[in-house]
Amino acid sequence: MPTTLITNIASLVTNDPSQGDGSPIGLLTDAAVVLDGENVAWVGPAAKAPAADTTYDAENRAVIPGFVDSHSHLVFAGDRTQEFNARMSGRSYSAGGIRTTVAATRAASDEELEANVVRYLAEALRQGTTTFETKSGYGLTTEHEARALRIASAHTDEVTYLGAHIVSPDYAEDPAAYVELVTGEMLDACAPHARWIDVFCEKGAFDGDQARAILTAGKAKGLHPRIHANQLSYGPGVQLAVELDAASADHCTHLTDADVDALAQGDTVATLLPGAEFSTRAEWPDARRLLDAGATVALSTDCNPGSSFTSSVPFCIALAVRDMGMTPDEAIWSATAGGAAALRRDDVGRIAVGARADLALLDAPSHVHLAYRPGVPLVTRVWRRGEPVA
């Protein structure tokens, strides 16, 4: 592949503190980047940029790392429009929540499920997402969970086995038997297609002992833990995540001081999902509290048909700045480098020599506009692995 010089960049978020202003986002002004194949070859002031085979003029606009969306649920069928409409209209709704999506997903063909995945990935890519994680969790049988992971793994390396999303309706009267299935036959079928294992540790889903058994079984099969933790209530999820060295504890809405301290002192990333709070009118996670304690924070979409049907990381950035106490710098870092940390990756989420050449050009002079101009489609060009893709 020819080398490409992207020059005349008004502001460049590198997430390299050795660059530019020395802040965590390593902000460079009047900057340039050289792409060589799939990787970044040079970063610095435009006036010192080396020659390249081709040149792209950023026209005094901002460039940021491609977003790293480390939490999504894209293998599903149907939607839950009625449920959302009822919730926003102040009416109770008892159509079954996740179970509604499970029924639709089981009934869908492989082709229908894959078409949905491709559609939502393209939608996310247009908005600057170049790395994403996605989960199973809407099949809840061995056959359907393995099918979901096979479909997902054709489109990303960051695939998560979430057989423990809820207790399958088929095992409503015997949750222990379902845990046995999730940690046995289902795990055996799903592990070859996944990198991660996840569990929804919450009242009405899986308790701490069940979650520990599920994650421990996954680790024994070579899958690394992540966990839905403390979304709806206080509980053991965050402490369990840190104990088991989970890459991330996701949601983190209801935290004790001990939970915050554990996240600050461990390697587990607190992944915040403001789309879920927006769509359910729930209490916002307190990002400020986590950041001030020294915890590593990621921002992600939680794209799913029930509680956060958005693929837009820019929308989540705007929510985090407006309602969760984050600064624009903290939010852009959390949606890029933070997401990479939640996937234990150092090749994405930053613009530095040797990193993967994943970048987004904004139709704005600064990344601050992502929060300053909410809802405006500011991402105007995307490079993934050095290729212009959107």
Side-chain angles (χ1 to χ4, degrees):
M1 292 175 62
T3 56
T4 300
L5 168 64
I6 305 172
T7 191
N8 197 18
I9 301 171
S11 63
L12 176 68
V13 174
T14 68
N15 291 334
D16 179 357
S18 71
Q19 293 280 6
D21 63 357
S23 71
I25 68 167
L27 188 67
L28 271 168
T29 56
D30 193 16
V33 179
V34 175
L35 313 182
D36 186 355
E38 295 188 354
N39 300 107
V40 176
W42 184 90
V43 180
K48 296 182 179 180
D53 297 319
T54 61
T55 299
Y56 183 87
D57 185 353
E59 298 179 343
N60 209 35
R61 292 176 287 180
V63 170
I64 62 173
F67 297 124
V68 180
D69 191 345
S70 60
H71 183 126
S72 72
H73 305 249
L74 299 184
V75 188
F76 68 87
D79 70 20
R80 278 150 58 193
T81 304
Q82 289 179 306
E83 177 184 331
F84 178 80
N85 188 45
R87 193 163 60 233
M88 294 300 107
S89 302
R91 302 192 301 273
S92 62
Y93 190 81
S94 55
I98 290 172
R99 291 170 181 80
T100 302
T101 301
V102 169
T105 302
R106 288 179 179 181
S109 69
D110 289 10
E111 292 76 18
E112 289 169 327
L113 291 179
E114 183 148 31
N116 268 350
V117 171
V118 170
R119 171 189 173 188
Y120 295 121
L121 290 181
E123 185 179 278
L125 184 63
R126 290 194 299 271
Q127 298 174 89
T129 299
T130 51
T131 302
F132 69 94
E133 177 270 0
T134 199
K135 309 174 192 298
S136 65
Y138 292 124
L140 308 187
T141 68
T142 298
E143 174 191 358
H144 288 292
E145 286 294 295
R147 173 177 74 146
L149 295 172
R150 283 197 307 271
I151 290 169
S153 65
H155 300 280
T156 179
D157 296 330
E158 303 296 348
V159 178
T160 301
Y161 166 47
L162 183 59
H165 199 178
I166 58 169
V167 174
S168 170
D170 309 319
Y171 288 80
E173 303 304 317
D174 195 355
Y178 186 65
V179 172
E180 185 176 346
L181 176 67
V182 167
T183 58
E185 173 192 303
M186 188 185 289
L187 174 61
D188 291 341
C190 289
H193 308 291
R195 180 184 178 200
W196 306 97
I197 185 167
D198 198 345
V199 58
F200 188 14
C201 184
E202 186 62 70
K203 293 175 183 176
F206 299 89
D207 65 25
D209 290 340
Q210 292 169 327
R212 178 182 282 103
I214 290 163
L215 296 180
T216 301
K219 288 184 75 171
K221 283 288 187 178
L223 304 182
H224 202 88
R226 47 201 327 109
I227 187 168
H228 286 59
N230 301 56
Q231 177 186 4
L232 306 176
S233 61
Y234 295 99
V238 164
Q239 296 289 337
L240 182 61
V242 176
E243 173 193 329
L244 296 180
D245 187 37
S248 66
D250 297 22
H251 288 289
C252 293
T253 307
H254 299 276
L255 302 178
T256 65
D257 289 345
D259 293 333
V260 174
D261 290 343
L263 288 166
Q265 294 168 16
D267 294 327
T268 299
V269 174
T271 299
L272 308 184
L273 309 167
E277 281 72 35
F278 176 87
S279 295
T280 59
R281 289 180 173 158
E283 177 183 341
W284 298 103
D286 190 346
R288 183 79 270 134
R289 182 184 179 200
L290 287 161
L291 291 164
D292 288 348
T296 301
V297 172
L299 279 178
S300 187
T301 64
D302 190 19
C303 186
N304 76 83
S307 61
S308 184
F309 205 1
T310 180
S311 59
S312 175
V313 174
F315 173 64
C316 293
I317 286 173
L319 292 179
V321 172
R322 168 62 178 80
D323 290 305
M324 290 163 47
M326 301 185 89
T327 68
D329 284 12
E330 290 166 339
I332 189 69
W333 190 96
S334 295
T336 52
L343 296 175
R344 299 214 164 153
R345 300 272 297 268
D346 60 9
D347 60 326
V348 295
R350 62 195 183 102
I351 299 175
V353 174
R356 210 167 77 177
D358 293 352
L359 305 87
L361 175 70
L362 305 182
D363 190 15
S366 167
H367 66 282
V368 176
H369 282 236
L370 291 167
Y372 180 42
R373 303 196 67 208
V376 177
L378 293 178
V379 175
T380 188
R381 189 177 179 89
V382 180
W383 291 263
R384 185 169 60 187
R385 296 184 181 272
E387 289 277 2
V389 290

